[in-house]
Amino acid sequence: MKIEIPSLTETHEPYRAIEERRTQLNEKARRLRSEITDLTRRILQNDGDANAEERVKDIAAGNAPVEKRSLRMEQEQALRERRETEAALEIVEERFRREHHNASRAVCEQFEELHREIYTKFWTAIAEAASARCEIDELHGELNRAGVEVLGPIAQKGSQLFSEPMRRSADVALMLRRAECEGFLKSRQIPEVLR
């Protein structure tokens, strides 16, 4: 069965918007980290003032030096901007998780009917298998009461699928009754011994 699942962004507009904002902030944070790394490298190479030589040349030529921002000031600004961006990203991440949950719920709602159909089929098959298992137990019980030792191929019970013995307290009985309560089965579909 091939099922076409709509994307979360197509299904829930608030999710699309917050995912877009999250992507923008992550890109900005990545860019700022790179910029800070570059500025730190340049500061270490130039002892913090790459423009000093240029200003000295301007003064020597009789020109008024053009004051340029120092690398340290640029680094401070980039660090502040990165802190603010990361703080904003934490807020957006919380919204993103909330909207991801809401978007997932919206997608799941589109499949409730299909899920109910599949789940009903599943529990009907389990009920039929449990019924067959009860019939096997009944056959074995009749053979034992007649003094017959159950041997050979008919000794196979499928006990790997259901707990032994098949009775009202068996795991499968509890699951089938729960499926009935949830509307996936009718009481008559559950073997009487398991009701």
Side-chain angles (χ1 to χ4, degrees), residues 44-55:
L44 292 173
Q45 286 175 348
N46 298 303
D47 195 29
D49 193 353
N51 301 314
E53 188 177 323
E54 191 177 316
R55 283 196 310 273

Side-chain angles (χ1 to χ4, degrees), residues 20-176:
E20 187 176 294
R21 185 65 185 136
R22 178 182 180 228
T23 300
Q24 291 168 349
L25 286 173
N26 275 318
E27 176 56 32
K28 183 177 182 181
R30 186 203 59 73
R31 182 185 50 77
L32 285 166
R33 281 190 298 274
S34 176
E35 181 180 336
I36 290 165
T37 300
D38 182 57
L39 286 167
T40 302
R41 181 188 53 75
R42 289 171 56 202
I43 287 169
L44 292 173
Q45 286 175 348
N46 298 303
D47 195 29
D49 193 353
N51 301 314
E53 188 177 323
E54 191 177 316
R55 283 196 310 273
V56 168
K57 286 180 184 176
D58 283 343
I59 292 169
N63 300 325
V66 178
E67 202 51 46
K68 295 184 179 175
R69 291 172 39 148
S70 75
L71 292 176
R72 289 192 192 281
M73 287 176 61
E74 287 182 45
Q75 183 189 41
E76 283 178 30
Q77 180 180 344
L79 286 167
R80 188 187 78 250
E81 195 174 340
R82 184 186 72 182
R83 281 191 304 272
E84 291 169 353
T85 300
E86 288 173 351
L89 197 49
E90 286 181 27
I91 293 168
V92 168
E93 284 293 341
E94 175 57 35
R95 290 179 188 157
F96 176 81
R97 284 188 292 277
R98 187 173 51 247
E99 291 306 333
H100 182 268
H101 178 82
N102 293 338
S104 295
R105 182 181 302 273
V107 169
C108 288
E109 286 172 356
Q110 296 178 27
F111 293 95
E112 285 178 358
E113 186 176 323
L114 176 61
H115 177 266
R116 179 168 267 311
E117 288 173 20
I118 294 169
Y119 227 54
T120 299
K121 221 176 3 179
F122 170 79
W123 284 113
T124 299
I126 295 294
E128 288 173 6
S131 180
R133 169 63 195 278
C134 288
E135 289 177 27
I136 290 170
D137 285 353
E138 192 176 320
L139 172 62
H140 288 186
E142 290 297 321
L143 289 169
N144 285 331
R145 282 188 283 286
V148 176
E149 186 178 350
V150 180
L151 300 169
I154 69 166
Q156 308 259 339
K157 293 170 103 175
S159 60
Q160 304 85 343
L161 296 177
F162 303 109
S163 60
E164 292 221 21
M166 293 293 279
R167 59 179 169 227
R168 186 167 165 66
S169 62
D171 289 344
V172 69
L174 299 173
M175 291 187 299
L176 290 171

